Amino acid sequence: DQQVKQNSPSLSVQEGRISILNCDYTNSMFDYFLWYKKYPAEGPTFLISISSIKDKNEDGRFTVFLNKSAKHLSLHIVPSQPGDSAVYFCAALSSGTGKLIFGQGTTLQVKP
Amino acid sequence: EADIYQTPRYLVIGTGKKITLECSQTMGHDKMYWYQQDPGMELHLIHYSYGVNSTEKGDLSSESTVSRIRTEHFPLTLESARPSHTSQYLCASRGTGNNQPQHFGDGTRLSIL
C-alpha cells in the first residue's frame, strides 16, 4: 500500500514556462512534506518543505502548495530552466514515527 | 548543506563476496538512514539509527546489517552478496529538532554478477 504517490512518471515543459509536479498521500498523520531533486548518479538534494500547518511555502522560483483536505501537494517551478531537468521526489514525514515515506518520483524535462 | 559521504560510488562484484558500504557525515547528526532505490521506484528505508549503538530495521526487509559505533559513521554490510542485492544504496542523516530535512550522500550503485 503506497502512502505517497506521484502519478505522473514524467513531465516535459518549455523553458520559461511553469512546471507543476503533483503528489498525493493517504496517511492523515503526515505532518511535514518535502520535495527532493535528484540528478543521475547523485543522491537526492533537499529542495523545499512545508509543514501541515501551512498551505504554501515559497523559496525563489520554487513554491509548494499543500491541500490537506484533498491530501495533495504540488511543487511549482517558475520560470522553469533547463538545469531543473531531474527526477523530483515528494516525501512525507510522520513526526510520530520519524520516518520519511517517498513517492516514486517524476522526471522533469525542461526543453530550451 | 550537510556533508555526507558514501564510498564506493560504484561497485561491481561477484556473488558470495562480503561487502561493506561506507557512510560518514561531518555534521554531528544523531539520526542516520539507509535507503535502497531501484530505477524508477521510490526510496525504501532499510535501516536507521537514532544514535550510537542504536540501529533499527526499516520498512523494507533487507539481508544487510548496519552498525553505529561512532556518531559520524554508519556502514552497511552484506555478508554474502547475491544478484538480487543489485541496487542503489543511499545514506542520509538528519539533525535534531522537528521538521529537519534528511540530507543524502551521492549513493553507491551496487551490481552483483
Side-chain angles (χ1 to χ4, degrees):
Chain A
D1 178 35
Q2 198 157 2
Q3 299 184 66
V4 178
K5 296 181 183 179
Q6 295 176 254
N7 291 316
S8 298
S10 62
L11 175 68
S12 183
V13 170
Q14 206 67 34
E15 180 180 7
R17 306 296 290 268
I18 186 171
S19 297
I20 300 176
L21 297 106
N22 294 301
C23 179
D24 297 293
Y25 62 96
T26 57
N27 190 338
S28 58
M29 298 302 292
F30 290 144
D31 51 15
Y32 182 55
F33 303 89
L34 307 90
W35 284 95
Y36 284 85
K37 175 181 178 181
K38 186 179 185 298
Y39 293 117
E42 293 183 13
T45 302
F46 169 69
L47 201 55
I48 193 169
S49 63
I50 188 166
S51 166
S52 60
I53 62 173
K54 296 187 176 181
D55 55 17
K56 178 183 175 181
N57 187 27
E58 191 173 351
D59 183 3
R61 296 185 297 115
F62 303 92
T63 303
V64 55
F65 295 92
L66 176 63
N67 182 334
K68 282 186 66 178
S69 60
K71 293 189 176 69
H72 177 83
L73 66 155
S74 60
L75 174 68
H76 293 211
I77 306 173
V78 55
S80 301
Q81 299 173 353
D84 295 330
S85 298
V87 179
Y88 289 79
F89 288 96
C90 167
L93 175 72
S94 168
S95 56
T97 66
K99 295 179 185 177
L100 267 183
I101 307 297
F102 284 84
Q104 314 96 303
T106 296
T107 300
L108 173 66
Q109 183 184 25
V110 180
K111 296 179 179 179
Chain B
E1 189 81 18
D3 293 322
I4 181 163
Y5 307 100
Q6 289 186 246
T7 57
R9 291 290 309 277
Y10 303 92
L11 180 61
V12 180
I13 200 166
T15 298
K17 301 291 186 181
K18 179 178 178 179
I19 299 165
T20 297
L21 307 184
E22 302 287 350
C23 177
S24 295
Q25 50 95 6
T26 59
M27 301 300 290
H29 288 166
D30 284 329
K31 297 179 174 64
M32 295 189 75
Y33 309 83
W34 275 103
Y35 292 86
Q36 186 173 339
Q37 190 209 3
D38 294 317
M41 302 295 288
E42 61 267 45
L43 282 69
H44 289 287
L45 181 68
I46 53 174
H47 298 283
Y48 62 101
S49 168
Y50 285 169
V52 170
N53 294 326
S54 154
T55 61
E56 301 287 345
K57 289 192 177 294
D59 301 321
L60 180 68
S61 175
S62 173
E63 293 169 349
S64 58
T65 59
V66 292
S67 62
R68 189 88 185 275
I69 299 171
R70 304 196 317 263
T71 298
E72 63 270 21
H73 194 214
F74 191 38
L76 180 145
T77 298
L78 280 162
E79 289 293 334
S80 180
R82 296 203 306 245
S84 61
H85 297 142
T86 295
S87 189
Q88 184 177 37
Y89 293 83
L90 292 158
C91 180
S93 73
R94 174 175 175 257
T96 53
N98 290 332
N99 298 345
Q100 293 291 317
Q102 292 182 15
H103 296 276
F104 285 82
D106 282 337
T108 295
R109 187 164 294 282
L110 179 63
S111 295
I112 309 300
L113 304 177

